[in-house]
Amino acid sequence: MEDKTDDVSDDEDEDDEDYLVEEGEIAGDYLEQLLDVLDFDGDIDLDVEGDRAIVSIDGGDDLAKLVGRKGEVLDALQELTRLAVQQSTGERSKLMLDVAGWRANRRTELGNLGAEAARRVLESGEREELTPMTPFERKIVHDAVAKIDGVASESTGVEPARRVVVVKA
């Protein structure tokens, strides 16, 4: 007798990926129109990573303006893009937007920051409070700390001053 549960699961995974590709295409169209209005150059790349669409804009000279100070413009643009997708699909989007590799670079920096803080806490035994971060940034630091045995991390404080604290486990 044949087990059909694997077939159903594969179909659901394929449907989820198709939906995320559709989200990415809607976001790409929206961002392409925005770049045209701003008269900015940029190539839009679409990808699916886990349970979210990843949209990135690369290659233009003016793109730093779309990142802003500490990624503030990028965060706002990501929310606008998510709203445009939601308007089209009727579903809340979790898509991630990157411009000029800023988020990818920031992810690397924050991973290194978390690992370095964890090593210092292991050596000294003293807890270490990091500077306030966005939820996106804190998650990356928590993930980096979790990879190191003997330490743990927690978030403390209230937005926008919420921060990661690394402690000996």
Side-chain angles (χ1 to χ4, degrees), residues 10-25 48:
D10 289 345
D11 288 347
E12 286 175 7
D13 289 347
E14 197 172 295
D15 289 347
D16 288 348
E17 185 160 336
D18 288 347
Y19 177 76
L20 293 174
V21 168
E22 179 188 353
E23 263 194 10
E25 288 173 353
V48 172

Side-chain angles (χ1 to χ4, degrees), residues 3 10 18 26 35 53 55 92 97 103 105 107-108 110 117 133 143:
D3 183 7
D10 289 345
D18 288 347
I26 293 166
L35 290 175
V55 180
R92 180 81 174 117
L97 175 63
R103 275 199 212 280
N105 293 337
R107 186 181 304 265
T108 301
L110 290 166
M133 297 177 195
D143 289 349

Side-chain angles (χ1 to χ4, degrees), residues 78-140:
Q78 177 175 278
E79 277 309 304
L80 287 172
T81 305
R82 286 176 174 177
L83 287 171
V85 170
Q86 181 176 351
Q87 179 109 23
S88 181
T89 64
E91 300 285 325
R92 180 81 174 117
S93 172
K94 296 191 306 183
L95 78 83
M96 182 69 70
L97 175 63
D98 195 2
V99 174
W102 189 85
R103 275 199 212 280
N105 293 337
R106 186 72 176 137
R107 186 181 304 265
T108 301
E109 288 173 13
L110 290 166
N112 291 340
L113 175 73
E116 290 166 11
R119 282 191 282 279
R120 286 191 298 270
V121 168
L122 273 176
E123 287 177 18
S124 72
E126 300 287 320
R127 65 185 253 133
E128 186 170 329
E129 281 191 22
L130 302 178
T131 60
M133 297 177 195
T134 67
F136 164 79
E137 293 171 325
R138 289 193 308 272
K139 180 177 182 340
I140 294 165

Side-chain angles (χ1 to χ4, degrees), residues 56-72:
S56 56
I57 305 173
D58 292 301
D61 294 333
D62 299 318
L63 295 182
K65 295 175 185 173
L66 295 179
V67 173
R69 189 170 105 3
K70 295 184 179 181
E72 291 166 340

Side-chain angles (χ1 to χ4, degrees), residues 137-150:
E137 293 171 325
R138 289 193 308 272
K139 180 177 182 340
I140 294 165
V141 173
H142 286 304
D143 289 349
V145 171
K147 292 178 183 174
I148 298 175
D149 291 334

